[in-house]
Amino acid sequence: MGKGRLEAFSDGVIAILITIMVLELRAPHEADASALRPLAPVFLGYLMSFVYLGIYWNNHHHMLHAAREVNGRVLWANLHLLFWLSLVPFTTSWMGEHPLTTAPVALYGFVLLMAGVAYFFLAQALVAHHGADSPIAKAIGSDRKGRISVTLYVVAIAASWWAPWLSLAVYVAVAAMWFVPDRRIERALEGDGTG
Amino acid sequence: MGKGRLEAFSDGVIAILITIMVLELRAPHEADASALRPLAPVFLGYLMSFVYLGIYWNNHHHMLHAAREVNGRVLWANLHLLFWLSLVPFTTSWMGEHPLTTAPVALYGFVLLMAGVAYFFLAQALVAHHGADSPIAKAIGSDRKGRISVTLYVVAIAASWWAPWLSLAVYVAVAAMWFVPDRRIERALEGDGTG
Amino acid sequence: MGKGRLEAFSDGVIAILITIMVLELRAPHEADASALRPLAPVFLGYLMSFVYLGIYWNNHHHMLHAAREVNGRVLWANLHLLFWLSLVPFTTSWMGEHPLTTAPVALYGFVLLMAGVAYFFLAQALVAHHGADSPIAKAIGSDRKGRISVTLYVVAIAASWWAPWLSLAVYVAVAAMWFVPDRRIERALEGDGTG
Amino acid sequence: MGKGRLEAFSDGVIAILITIMVLELRAPHEADASALRPLAPVFLGYLMSFVYLGIYWNNHHHMLHAAREVNGRVLWANLHLLFWLSLVPFTTSWMGEHPLTTAPVALYGFVLLMAGVAYFFLAQALVAHHGADSPIAKAIGSDRKGRISVTLYVVAIAASWWAPWLSLAVYVAVAAMWFVPDRRIERALEGDGTG
């Protein structure tokens, strides 16, 4: 079975998710610049979620690029990933309204955690279909970054009970780890996540 | 006539439908976890409709994969299917607000029923175009699952008058029948639906 | 220049337009079936606009299928068409609220008229690029249906001042003319439109 | 790495942005034509942003057409461009409500400025990947129009403090410069922007 439609469908869903989040940024009724200040946490939340969805799109792009074809299990593993990503606008909106409160910050991390786990299942489904010696299995490898991310999300969720700002810092750090292709940062963060 | 644009257009519509449903999940104004509890039925409705739209996308993917080309009748049969699917966010939203009330539960089933019938017409249009001996005719076969589903939707709509929770159980069962590729479940449900 | 992205972009815009219109169908707060009755005009308006956008997508599909390539003028003629189509959700929403009132009914027809004119310009741009002897020039031909439609829209807009229901009937008739591939209906309507 | 998915994803995002802007055009509750008058600035803002997004889509189409392939830096440069474009519905909505007030007019220009800069970075990333002698490097050239636009946006933002209508005129002029493929207009505007 060809992978073209799975890519096109995932592109469509991620493109829509990235764009409907901006609907949360409602234009203020006042016309002066200070009216934008209350929007700052919503805007920063949008920026972070945009970067996270961009990272998922990039990684999805790379992983599927290495795949030859897909099967039914891969289709559902992909839909499972898209389901968790589809909740990002909801958690972004809640956290944007309460940027330093336990429940919204923890839920934001929980959805990232589940998306990370879903991505791992998708990778497993692709490796199972192509074989352990296939190029895609080598491209995915041990998926160290993915495992560090999942660990850090758990840490961030736990931290949200006593210091939500620390959870936010962890979310930013995980995004930076994926964004900046620097092996030293990755290793530094690994030490952090397991410490 | 090529099938590429029909696939792309259907992917687009289903991707948007799946994503705009999540707009119904509005972030609560309170910041504590208990504020999420009233959203539970809306969330479960979203989950069910996500799975249904995922099933339609999967089946559409498989059926069109077996098609060589399309004609005007197929284009309109496809738009007819997309029309009924486009009403899923509306029925999901109404049922999410009144999860155990006759009218919303019956209407949810009615739209599923019409989508099932529209899918059947689309399959017929494809078979008529490719011929009864074509690979697509064999791939569709007697479409037993489709006929079981339509029967079960009728049962569920009828049941909504005296036991809406039973209708919901039937909707879950039909989704499970498509989701779980297990022939025994299919047969068990068939006995249920005709009984 | 390839036509693939123009097709993909147009598919995307039309798919989104068709789907966001359904957001106007807001689930009623009451749970009984009679609460759906006030939605009837909105629903019928949605149905009509869905069919119109479906007709445009079908015709666009056929016309671009006959094209070999596109140029800058075609890109802008296509965006011009998409601009008028993008106003359909707005006019549908206004007419849905006031289904038998002059201004909303006339504006609905005006946007259809401008979309029809924009489609004509797109066809001209494609013919100019491919040459008068090209397959696409033959496929478009004299575009009699298009000219009948534009004439009928003008009639319907004029009629909205004294009988909005007649305008609605004309909109339905034009949609039927495109939907039903029957030359006799086309000729009958032609007699109607010029009489 | 192929460029197909980058094109498809960008098409999706721009198609959605162009279409969700129309959601700001809310149908008035009154049914007479005069009820449309207060919508005029919102409509004109929508028209201008539609043209701007159309210009970006056209230019993106042309630039990627000349590209052979993409790399990680190009993917992120493209996401960066889409981020700024995704803010256009927000600034359009704010400016539509306050069409002649400093802050909304300046912010509208600021987002256009950042999108222009992001487009420049994307072009640089593509040239760096393909080499200075590649067809894409020649196609982009000195990107005079792009540099004129960025200069004019800065002028318009500055002008918004004492004459917001002048800023609007500059936004219209920049759009016209891209829309009208006339070298004399380009040169005339260049004189304007540096004067």
Side-chain angles (χ1 to χ4, degrees):
Chain A
M1 203 189 303
K3 65 183 181 177
R5 272 192 83 178
L6 183 138
E7 291 182 331
F9 184 72
S10 309
D11 283 359
V13 170
I14 299 176
I16 300 158
L17 289 173
I18 257 183
T19 344
I20 62 174
M21 275 194 304
V22 92
L23 293 174
E24 285 299 315
L25 265 182
R26 293 211 189 79
H29 289 297
E30 299 80 36
D32 50 308
S34 65
L36 295 175
R37 208 163 304 152
L39 290 177
V42 181
F43 177 77
L44 291 174
Y46 171 59
L47 178 58
M48 185 154 81
S49 296
F50 188 98
V51 170
Y52 264 110
L53 287 171
I55 287 166
Y56 269 103
W57 182 74
N58 264 7
N59 291 348
H60 196 270
H61 184 139
H62 283 100
M63 187 160 70
L64 266 294
H65 189 66
R68 259 182 306 104
E69 47 175 31
V70 299
N71 61 2
R73 182 177 156 202
V74 170
L75 291 188
W76 276 108
N78 193 59
L79 277 166
H80 180 231
L81 170 61
L82 294 178
F83 176 74
W84 289 107
L85 293 182
S86 82
L87 297 177
V88 168
F90 173 79
T91 57
T92 304
S93 163
W94 202 28
M95 196 173 74
E97 227 179 313
H98 311 282
L100 289 171
T101 318
T102 296
V105 169
L107 189 70
Y108 189 87
F110 177 71
V111 166
L112 287 181
L113 172 65
M114 295 310 289
V117 170
Y119 192 82
F120 178 77
F121 287 160
L122 175 58
Q124 292 308 101
L126 281 164
V127 167
H129 186 55
H130 289 80
D133 293 330
S134 59
I136 193 169
K138 275 162 203 155
I140 294 169
S142 70
D143 190 21
R144 201 154 50 122
K145 266 189 181 179
R147 280 191 275 166
I148 298 171
S149 305
V150 163
T151 311
L152 286 176
Y153 295 145
V154 173
V155 169
I157 293 169
S160 72
W161 262 264
W162 48 276
W165 63 267
L166 184 62
S167 312
L168 294 180
V170 173
Y171 301 152
V172 171
V174 172
M177 175 180 80
W178 286 98
F179 187 75
V180 185
D182 187 325
R183 303 215 146 262
R184 272 168 308 173
I185 287 180
E186 192 187 330
R187 258 180 256 128
L189 276 165
E190 194 176 19
D192 228 62
T194 58
Chain B
M1 205 190 300
K3 64 183 182 177
R5 273 191 84 179
L6 183 137
E7 291 182 330
F9 184 72
S10 309
D11 283 359
V13 170
I14 299 177
I16 299 158
L17 289 174
I18 257 182
T19 345
I20 63 173
M21 275 194 304
V22 92
L23 293 174
E24 285 298 316
L25 267 182
R26 293 212 188 78
H29 289 297
E30 299 78 36
D32 50 308
S34 65
L36 296 176
R37 207 164 305 152
L39 290 177
V42 181
F43 177 76
L44 291 174
Y46 171 59
L47 178 58
M48 185 154 81
S49 297
F50 188 99
V51 170
Y52 265 110
L53 286 171
I55 288 166
Y56 269 103
W57 182 74
N58 264 7
N59 291 348
H60 195 271
H61 185 138
H62 282 101
M63 187 160 70
L64 265 293
H65 188 67
R68 260 182 304 107
E69 48 175 32
V70 299
N71 60 3
R73 182 178 156 200
V74 170
L75 291 188
W76 277 108
N78 192 59
L79 278 166
H80 179 231
L81 171 61
L82 295 178
F83 176 74
W84 289 106
L85 294 182
S86 82
L87 296 176
V88 168
F90 173 78
T91 56
T92 303
S93 163
W94 202 28
M95 196 173 74
E97 228 179 312
H98 310 283
L100 288 171
T101 318
T102 296
V105 169
L107 189 70
Y108 189 87
F110 177 73
V111 166
L112 287 182
L113 173 64
M114 295 309 290
V117 169
Y119 191 82
F120 178 77
F121 287 160
L122 175 57
Q124 291 309 101
L126 281 164
V127 168
H129 186 57
H130 289 80
D133 292 331
S134 59
I136 192 169
K138 273 161 203 156
I140 294 168
S142 70
D143 190 20
R144 201 155 50 124
K145 266 188 181 180
R147 280 190 275 164
I148 298 170
S149 305
V150 163
T151 310
L152 286 176
Y153 294 145
V154 173
V155 169
I157 293 169
S160 73
W161 262 263
W162 49 274
W165 63 266
L166 184 62
S167 312
L168 293 180
V170 173
Y171 301 152
V172 171
V174 173
M177 176 181 78
W178 286 98
F179 187 76
V180 185
D182 186 326
R183 303 215 145 262
R184 273 169 307 173
I185 288 180
E186 193 187 330
R187 259 181 255 129
L189 277 165
E190 193 176 19
D192 228 59
T194 56
Chain C
M1 203 190 301
K3 64 183 183 178
R5 272 191 84 179
L6 183 138
E7 291 182 331
F9 184 71
S10 308
D11 283 359
V13 170
I14 299 177
I16 299 158
L17 288 174
I18 255 182
T19 344
I20 62 173
M21 275 195 303
V22 92
L23 293 175
E24 286 298 315
L25 267 182
R26 294 214 187 77
H29 289 296
E30 300 78 37
D32 50 308
S34 66
L36 295 176
R37 207 164 305 154
L39 290 177
V42 181
F43 177 76
L44 291 175
Y46 171 59
L47 178 58
M48 185 154 80
S49 296
F50 188 99
V51 170
Y52 264 110
L53 287 172
I55 288 167
Y56 269 103
W57 182 75
N58 263 7
N59 291 348
H60 195 271
H61 185 138
H62 282 100
M63 187 160 70
L64 266 294
H65 189 67
R68 259 181 305 106
E69 48 175 30
V70 299
N71 61 2
R73 181 178 156 200
V74 170
L75 291 188
W76 277 109
N78 192 60
L79 278 166
H80 180 231
L81 171 61
L82 295 177
F83 176 74
W84 289 107
L85 294 182
S86 83
L87 296 177
V88 167
F90 173 78
T91 57
T92 303
S93 163
W94 201 28
M95 196 172 75
E97 226 180 312
H98 311 284
L100 288 171
T101 318
T102 296
V105 169
L107 189 70
Y108 189 88
F110 177 73
V111 166
L112 287 181
L113 173 64
M114 295 310 289
V117 169
Y119 191 82
F120 178 78
F121 287 160
L122 175 58
Q124 291 308 102
L126 282 163
V127 168
H129 186 57
H130 288 81
D133 292 331
S134 59
I136 193 170
K138 275 163 201 153
I140 294 169
S142 69
D143 191 20
R144 201 156 50 123
K145 266 189 181 178
R147 280 190 275 164
I148 297 171
S149 304
V150 163
T151 310
L152 286 176
Y153 294 145
V154 173
V155 169
I157 293 169
S160 72
W161 262 265
W162 49 274
W165 63 266
L166 184 62
S167 312
L168 295 180
V170 173
Y171 302 151
V172 171
V174 173
M177 176 179 78
W178 286 97
F179 186 77
V180 184
D182 187 324
R183 304 214 145 260
R184 273 168 309 172
I185 288 179
E186 192 187 332
R187 259 181 254 130
L189 276 166
E190 194 175 19
D192 229 59
T194 57
Chain D
M1 204 190 302
K3 64 182 183 178
R5 271 191 84 179
L6 182 138
E7 290 182 330
F9 184 71
S10 308
D11 283 358
V13 170
I14 299 177
I16 299 157
L17 288 174
I18 256 182
T19 345
I20 62 173
M21 276 194 303
V22 93
L23 293 175
E24 285 298 315
L25 267 182
R26 292 213 188 78
H29 289 297
E30 300 79 37
D32 50 306
S34 65
L36 296 176
R37 209 163 304 153
L39 290 177
V42 181
F43 176 77
L44 291 174
Y46 170 58
L47 179 58
M48 185 154 80
S49 296
F50 188 99
V51 170
Y52 264 110
L53 287 171
I55 288 166
Y56 269 103
W57 182 75
N58 264 8
N59 291 349
H60 196 270
H61 184 138
H62 282 99
M63 187 160 70
L64 266 294
H65 189 66
R68 258 182 306 106
E69 48 176 30
V70 299
N71 61 2
R73 181 178 156 201
V74 170
L75 291 187
W76 277 108
N78 192 58
L79 279 166
H80 180 231
L81 171 61
L82 295 178
F83 176 73
W84 289 107
L85 294 182
S86 82
L87 296 177
V88 168
F90 172 78
T91 57
T92 304
S93 163
W94 202 28
M95 195 172 74
E97 226 179 313
H98 310 284
L100 289 171
T101 318
T102 296
V105 169
L107 189 70
Y108 189 87
F110 178 72
V111 166
L112 287 182
L113 172 65
M114 294 310 288
V117 170
Y119 192 82
F120 178 78
F121 287 160
L122 176 58
Q124 292 308 102
L126 282 163
V127 168
H129 186 56
H130 289 80
D133 292 330
S134 60
I136 194 169
K138 276 163 200 153
I140 294 170
S142 69
D143 191 21
R144 201 154 51 123
K145 266 189 180 178
R147 280 191 274 164
I148 298 171
S149 305
V150 163
T151 310
L152 286 176
Y153 295 145
V154 173
V155 169
I157 294 169
S160 71
W161 261 265
W162 49 275
W165 63 266
L166 184 62
S167 312
L168 295 180
V170 172
Y171 301 152
V172 171
V174 173
M177 177 180 79
W178 287 97
F179 187 76
V180 184
D182 188 325
R183 302 215 146 260
R184 273 167 308 172
I185 289 179
E186 193 186 331
R187 260 181 255 129
L189 276 165
E190 196 175 17
D192 229 61
T194 57

